[in-house]
Amino acid sequence: RKSKKRGCEAGIARYLNKDGLWGIHKVELTHKNHVLTPSKSWFIPSYRDVPKFVLRVVKDLMDAIVKQSQIYHALANQMNGFENLPFLLKDMNNVVGKERSKEFDETDCRAMFEYFAKMKEANDDFFFSWRVDEENKLMDVVWLDARSRVAYMDFCDVVCFDATYITNHYELPIANFVGVNHHGQIILLGCALVHNEDTGTYKWVMREWIECMGGV
């Protein structure tokens, strides 16, 4: 692909012939506007990797409430510079997030749904909904209590959907539906735990929440 930042056209263009074989259409080996060196290879995604032993250290430090940016700087100091790390900060955050999501096991799910069941038993207007993937693993959950449902009927003029919060342990985004009452106070109108921040996930969350609110 042509570099958008540098305008470099170095690369190989290929094609698939009628026999199903790949052929080379164009080769451009001359780089423009930048100099390639081995030390810059860590900027290429295919060269970046978070070793398993580093991942264990990162998870232990995160459990001790150490910020991810601080962990990354500490690792860079041990390796005598950021350029000596085989991964970027975003790579570390992505891998840790995926590992945390896998740890959302049956025990945690059972505890959460037992709590929901108690809330439902105490008040039948408590609502919760969930869905699972092909392997029957929990994907997303939506829940809200009776007070939220009653408040929404009076204060549904403007609703804010806030997905900026991240849980400390699992790195699963928790989204909140919030509104404002007649005193100018923020009111909670529902919550959701989502496994992935994509369009399909948020469509499901919105549909479940609106259905609970009587389609309003």
Side-chain angles (χ1 to χ4, degrees), residues 135-152:
E135 299 178 357
N136 205 36
K137 293 183 178 179
L138 183 66
M139 294 172 60
D140 312 298
V141 187
V142 177
W143 73 94
L144 55 153
D145 59 20
R147 179 181 295 181
S148 297
R149 300 178 76 173
V150 172
Y152 181 70

Side-chain angles (χ1 to χ4, degrees), residues 9-20:
E9 297 182 356
I12 298 176
R14 62 182 181 175
Y15 67 93
L16 190 65
N17 64 23
K18 61 181 180 180
D19 297 323

Side-chain angles (χ1 to χ4, degrees), residues 6-7 9 17 19 21 42 45 51 70 73-74 76 81 86-87 98 116 123 146 159 166 169 174 197:
R6 299 287 183 177
E9 297 182 356
N17 64 23
D19 297 323
L21 300 176
W42 70 306
Q70 294 175 334
H73 279 76
F87 54 87
K98 291 179 181 178
F116 287 163
N123 192 320
V159 176
I166 302 294
H169 185 63
I174 180 169
E197 293 183 281

Side-chain angles (χ1 to χ4, degrees), residues 134-205:
E134 295 80 4
E135 299 178 357
N136 205 36
K137 293 183 178 179
L138 183 66
M139 294 172 60
D140 312 298
V141 187
V142 177
W143 73 94
L144 55 153
D145 59 20
R147 179 181 295 181
S148 297
R149 300 178 76 173
V150 172
Y152 181 70
M153 294 301 107
D154 292 325
F155 309 110
C156 60
D157 301 280
V158 178
V159 176
C160 176
F161 181 68
D162 185 0
T164 59
Y165 292 95
I166 302 294
T167 57
N168 290 330
H169 185 63
Y170 293 112
E171 295 295 321
L172 289 173
I174 180 169
N176 297 317
F177 292 89
V178 295
V180 180
N181 64 16
H182 57 299
H183 295 296
Q185 300 168 329
I186 297 296
I187 52 176
L188 184 62
L189 300 174
C191 301
L193 271 177
V194 296
H195 80 292
N196 194 7
E197 293 183 281
D198 58 17
T199 303
T201 298
Y202 284 140
K203 278 185 176 180
W204 180 86
V205 169

